[in-house]
Amino acid sequence: MKVIIKKTKEEIGEEIAKEILKDIKENDHLILGLATGSTPLPLYKSLITQSKEEEVSFKNIKTFNLDEYCGLDATNDQSYRYFMNENLFKYLDFEPNSHHFPSTENCSKYDDLIEEAGGIDIQILGIGENGHIAFNEPNTSLDSKTHITSLTQNTIKNNSRFFANVEDVPTKAITMGLSTILKARKIYLIATGKNKAEAIKTMLEGKYIPSCPASALNLKENDVYIYLDEDAATLLKE
Ligand code: GLP
């Protein structure tokens, strides 16, 4: 695991976008694992601008998103599919059927779909204040595959900032499991802001702590990159 601290979230976005485009230039059939939330937005912005400048095509790239709320379809502006269309997909030359999202229908097959596509080459992750990755809440099993989960009150409260009322936040979601995520060949976890500092401190203790799902990344030896801004890194020692 490599920890990289940058001054701003924009710098983080630029650097990871550069790395992803470098990999796509070497293999234009990459499989990307994508995340939603406010954290990856600067990365998606940089991917759009840099790929235009460097004329990199996404025609052969397939994407698998980490998670989706139960009960919100693609037309709902709070669904993660809508978010991805608005913030990334519509700006690039992806083929229309190249995007995959977990759903109540494909849930038990989602891991197989990923495997059949060749496995995830690059996985982008954010982190919840409680250490969740995707919607793997504290104490989710390490063996978990894509599954339906109940969201914690903390997650519902945090995610309510995107909804008109806290009552509108779905209480269930479909998420890749921890074992699904750990299979990705390369992982970039991004954390920005002081509210992530505590979870980052726990994650970087170097061992797997079930109450902090992100700490499962300690079990993967190579190709895990943790990008932090200075705020998210405030509780780390030298
Ligand atoms: C949601 C998503 C996570 C994301 C987290 C943090 O719960 N399921 O994948 O990492 O929120 O969101 P943000 O980046 O907005 O802080």
Side-chain angles (χ1 to χ4, degrees):
M1 181 184 281
K2 209 168 162 208
V3 180
I4 301 119
I5 303 174
K6 296 276 171 193
K7 273 211 151 40
T8 65
K9 51 188 180 188
E10 286 75 21
E11 279 176 66
I12 296 175
E14 280 165 26
E15 189 160 312
I16 302 177
K18 205 176 284 166
E19 291 299 321
I20 295 176
L21 293 180
K22 198 156 79 187
D23 285 354
I24 294 180
K25 284 179 200 162
E26 277 169 26
N27 172 11
D28 71 353
H29 282 70
L30 277 192
I31 311 292
L32 298 181
L34 298 175
T36 51
S38 47
T39 307
L41 284 175
L43 163 64
Y44 296 156
K45 269 205 178 115
S46 289
L47 264 184
I48 295 162
T49 35
Q50 290 182 29
S51 63
K52 297 250 183 295
E53 281 163 15
E54 298 178 33
E55 296 180 11
V56 178
S57 171
F58 283 71
K59 234 176 170 14
N60 298 318
I61 304 289
K62 289 199 181 84
T63 68
F64 285 85
N65 261 75
L66 281 171
D67 46 14
E68 180 59 283
Y69 288 116
C70 287
L72 302 191
D73 67 21
T75 58
N76 188 305
D77 63 4
Q78 292 307 331
S79 73
Y80 284 170
R81 191 182 274 272
Y82 188 96
F83 174 100
M84 292 306 302
N85 283 334
E86 289 305 304
N87 292 295
L88 186 70
F89 297 159
K90 73 177 188 187
Y91 298 102
L92 300 173
D93 63 340
F94 286 108
E95 290 292 342
N97 293 326
S98 56
H99 307 305
H100 305 269
F101 286 76
S103 65
T104 41
E105 289 77 36
N106 72 13
C107 181
S108 61
K109 288 181 249 139
Y110 201 64
D111 284 49
D112 292 340
L113 285 175
I114 295 172
E115 287 304 307
E116 282 159 22
I120 290 175
D121 293 297
I122 300 176
Q123 178 65 57
I124 306 300
L125 292 176
I127 183 170
E129 269 180 31
N130 63 1
H132 73 222
I133 47 176
F135 273 130
N136 291 286
E137 297 283 31
N139 303 311
T140 299
S141 158
L142 259 187
D143 299 331
S144 53
K145 294 182 168 187
T146 302
H147 61 284
I148 296 177
T149 186
S150 297
L151 304 182
T152 62
Q153 280 310 314
N154 174 278
T155 299
I156 292 172
K157 191 179 120 267
N158 283 339
N159 290 3
S160 67
R161 68 201 141 110
F162 300 113
F163 292 79
N165 301 296
V166 69
E167 294 77 32
D168 298 338
V169 186
T171 55
K172 285 185 181 293
I174 313 111
T175 179
M176 278 190 202
L178 291 179
S179 84
T180 323
I181 294 171
L182 287 179
K183 280 196 191 123
R185 295 185 186 95
K186 194 188 279 188
I187 296 178
Y188 293 102
L189 181 143
I190 312 171
T192 54
K194 275 219 165 71
N195 58 328
K196 304 293 172 68
E198 194 66 51
I200 289 298
K201 181 175 167 245
T202 310
M203 179 182 100
L204 293 180
E205 280 175 25
K207 53 181 189 290
Y208 171 55
I209 304 165
S211 60
C212 177
S215 68
L217 300 183
N218 288 304
L219 302 172
K220 197 171 155 60
E221 280 167 18
N222 299 314
D223 286 326
V224 177
Y225 301 89
I226 312 295
Y227 274 82
L228 310 174
D229 70 355
E230 290 181 346
D231 283 344
T234 37
L235 300 178
L236 302 180
K237 298 199 193 86
E238 272 310 290

